[in-house]
Amino acid sequence: MKILIVDDEKRIIEVLEAYLEREGYEIHSADNGIDALKKAKTIELDLMILDLMLPDISGEEVCRLVRKDSDLPILMLTAKSAEDDRINGIVMGADDYVSKPFSPREVVVRVQAILRRVKKAEKKDSISFNKNKLVIDLIKKEVTANGHLISLTPIEYKLLTNMAMSPGRVYSRLDLLEKIQDEGMYYEGYERSVDTHIKNLRKKMEGDPRQPIFILTVFGMGYKFGGTLDAANSPV
């Protein structure tokens, strides 16, 4: 599997490269954001380890631009340790976050955990949450909520599956809007129009739309999926 390490500190790249190659990963590297974006487009990557503090463009911007084109798993690596910075990293689309100074072995474990989750999701024909209260058939693109098959528009289905694949991850309205556009769907309106689709999703799939358990609002940030993946779907 191919991993891109993006960091302007040569020593960090060398250390992570040594540890990850020992685990059998093929490592590529970049010491700036522009080079990272080029390699993300030209190399079939499985994961990116991304430092937030880069010499040209910020890691947050790199993450945002990568997220416009793909769902490539991203592990953020940074000296920023404040809670707001960590939250911002997740909001930007990171799958996990490690603060410097770090243990290389911890980074390896986190990389393995992320890739394991991705591999499990890709193999599934369907995923279920909250003891089958919500079931998403990834082959038929059908959704069953509380035992009833519900009719979703293509946009609603795409919004739901993107969030459900990463429970707990916060998506801004812009993130969700870009997910729709990346699928080649015609979308008219501003970021706030996402709220309308979320409202419709809740009406269709939540027992009580006023007290949702699946599509949750994160005030000032956006939305996240609050369902609990059933044990049969969980990574071993």
Side-chain angles (χ1 to χ4, degrees):
M1 302 186 83
K2 299 177 183 179
I3 296 175
L4 175 64
I5 303 173
V6 186
D7 200 301
D8 60 343
E9 295 184 49
K10 184 178 180 181
R11 179 58 181 161
I12 287 180
I13 290 179
E14 291 174 345
V15 170
L16 290 179
E17 184 174 24
Y19 274 80
L20 290 166
E21 284 185 338
R22 193 180 305 162
E23 298 298 321
Y25 298 109
E26 178 182 322
I27 304 302
H28 300 263
S29 64
D31 60 7
N32 63 77
I34 298 298
D35 190 28
L37 291 170
K38 288 179 181 177
K39 288 181 177 178
K41 287 182 177 292
T42 57
I43 301 171
E44 200 169 321
L45 297 170
D46 295 285
L47 182 139
M48 176 187 290
I49 298 175
L50 175 63
D51 182 24
L52 290 188
M53 302 179 71
L54 298 172
D56 50 358
I57 60 176
S58 70
E60 288 96 336
E61 181 66 6
V62 172
C63 182
R64 189 186 71 80
L65 292 172
V66 168
R67 278 284 172 264
K68 288 181 66 177
D69 297 323
S70 76
D71 290 318
L72 176 69
I74 296 175
L75 172 63
M76 283 190 170
L77 188 66
T78 179
K80 296 181 178 180
S81 58
E83 182 180 2
D84 286 347
D85 291 319
R86 294 197 300 272
I87 291 173
N88 189 50
I90 300 301
V91 170
M92 282 289 147
D95 294 88
D96 204 350
Y97 193 111
V98 178
S99 297
K100 297 178 182 178
F102 60 85
S103 161
R105 287 190 297 175
E106 180 187 359
V107 173
V108 171
V109 169
R110 287 178 183 261
V111 164
Q112 291 171 333
I114 292 171
L115 292 175
R116 217 167 31 238
R117 289 198 299 268
V118 171
K119 188 175 181 181
K120 280 282 185 179
E122 288 177 345
K123 285 185 175 181
K124 294 279 178 197
D125 289 340
S126 67
I127 51 176
S128 62
F129 303 87
N130 296 46
K131 298 180 180 179
N132 285 318
K133 285 187 177 179
L134 178 68
V135 181
I136 303 175
D137 189 318
L138 301 171
I139 303 300
K140 296 180 180 179
K141 295 188 176 182
E142 293 178 344
V143 177
T144 302
N146 299 309
H148 299 285
L149 185 66
I150 60 175
S151 177
L152 299 182
T153 67
I155 287 177
E156 291 166 355
Y157 177 82
K158 188 61 183 176
L159 288 174
L160 174 60
T161 53
N162 268 284
M163 287 190 286
M165 287 297 184
S166 300
R169 173 180 156 188
V170 179
Y171 289 87
S172 68
R173 292 175 178 83
L174 180 58
D175 289 334
L176 296 173
L177 187 59
E178 288 175 344
K179 291 292 184 185
I180 298 168
Q181 293 172 330
D182 288 345
E183 288 299 306
M185 295 179 180
Y186 176 77
Y187 190 90
E188 187 178 66
Y190 300 98
E191 291 174 39
R192 288 285 175 177
S193 297
V194 170
D195 295 346
T196 300
H197 296 298
I198 294 295
K199 182 178 180 181
N200 290 336
L201 262 176
R202 284 174 172 164
K203 285 181 178 179
K204 294 178 179 181
M205 59 182 283
E206 301 280 5
D208 182 356
R210 294 170 298 180
Q211 296 182 322
I213 61 174
F214 293 113
I215 307 297
L216 306 180
T217 299
V218 182
F219 292 102
M221 295 184 182
Y223 299 99
K224 70 177 181 179
F225 186 80
T228 301
L229 195 63
D230 288 338
N233 297 295
S234 300
V236 178

